[in-house]
Amino acid sequence: MAKFYQPLAHSEYLMAVAFLFPGQGSQHPGMLHTLTDHPEVERTLTEVSEALKRDVKELDSEKALQSTVSVQLAIFTAGVAVARALQSMGIQPEALAGLSVGSFAAAVISGALPLVDAITLVKQRSELMEQLFAEGYGLSAIVGLDERKVKALLAEVCSSEAPVYIANINAPRQIVIAGSNAGMQAVIDGARASGARKAERLHVSVPSHCPLLNPVALALEASLLSMHLGTPQITYISNTHARPLRTAGAISCDLSTNIASSVRWHDTTVVLKELGCKLFLEMNPGRVLSDLVNENIADVRSVALEFSSLS
């Protein structure tokens, strides 16, 4: 964490804490090279590199991050590394949640999923996503319209020729759609005509969190059947169902199916608050999740650790 803009008071660590793990879109070049200098960070980078049989730090260059595979592996690694560093300092979360690929980091820190198995799954997931949708698809953001209105726009547009779906409900009026370029453009045009403050493409080349990704979900389900997950030792919140999952089987199912299901991220953060969490700590990289919490959830504070001090 090269920049320390928001030092945390020791008293804040005495609050009930939630760990948040970001998803694709939060990446930036050098994100693994600027992680805080900590033994747990170095241990994690070494373990991931050994599992991949290559230096994981090679994945955060500008060129490497053009690949979905590099992006997801780098985000996963950063999240696990920083969370382990926090835990080694005695900062233990009451609950944790991950957005999209962040769910795999959350599952590792919960104690349900071994790190090596998580790396296998994230690599398989990202490779299949990249192979299925090399071009012509992606994600778009719509800000200023609610879920009901966006669903109405989708109903007018979605077809077998122009598939488009809700992918993420990040806030009551901040929604991400996924699908074909033609379908998304039609919804973007309709959203702008309906008064959306913003409606634009995102720099993501795959249509995550919609039925187009069902083949990836089925492949992950098959892989997870051969893995041994344990009972989570920390409460894991599903980002698609927005509820706590307390068994290995439930988490296994969540990790396989969430790629083809809409993410209800706002509802997930509401559940974390209802569980008593008052301080949300967002693992590296980025600050997207903290900004969403601070803008939309009252009486809690969320801090992006990439821009804050661990001490």
Side-chain angles (χ1 to χ4, degrees), residues 163-286:
V164 62
Y165 308 89
I166 285 182
N168 295 48
I169 302 171
N170 290 331
R173 291 179 176 271
Q174 184 171 332
I175 295 172
V176 176
I177 59 173
S180 66
N181 289 346
M184 288 191 297
Q185 189 58 55
V187 174
I188 286 171
D189 293 342
R192 289 171 177 166
S194 299
R197 294 202 309 275
K198 182 171 74 172
E200 63 185 22
R201 286 292 304 268
L202 299 176
H203 296 295
V204 179
S205 60
V206 291
S208 304
H209 302 293
C210 75
L212 294 170
L213 273 295
N214 278 330
V216 180
L218 291 173
L220 290 174
E221 180 182 19
S223 294
L224 278 155
L225 287 174
S226 67
M227 297 176 179
H228 178 72
L229 275 69
T231 301
Q233 303 304 301
I234 303 170
T235 301
Y236 169 102
I237 310 298
S238 165
N239 66 29
T240 57
H241 301 294
R243 66 183 184 87
L245 302 182
R246 305 186 188 280
T247 67
I251 292 177
S252 178
C253 181
D254 189 65
L255 293 174
S256 64
T257 60
N258 73 30
I259 190 59
S261 306
S262 296
V263 171
R264 304 196 70 87
W265 184 253
H266 177 69
D267 293 343
T268 298
T269 54
V270 170
V271 169
L272 289 169
K273 178 184 175 181
E274 290 173 348
L275 289 173
C277 298
K278 294 294 186 182
L279 176 63
F280 293 10
L281 299 180
E282 180 180 0
M283 307 300 112
N284 295 42

Side-chain angles (χ1 to χ4, degrees), residues 40-51:
E40 287 299 315
V41 170
E42 292 305 316
R43 177 170 75 93
T44 302
L45 294 175
T46 298
E47 290 180 359
V48 175
S49 295
E50 290 175 351

Side-chain angles (χ1 to χ4, degrees), residues 12 42 55 98 107 120 126 137 151 157 162 210 221 237 247 276 298 300:
E12 288 189 285
E42 292 305 316
D55 185 353
T120 299
S126 54
Y137 294 82
K151 282 184 173 179
V157 171
C210 75
E221 180 182 19
I237 310 298
T247 67
V300 301

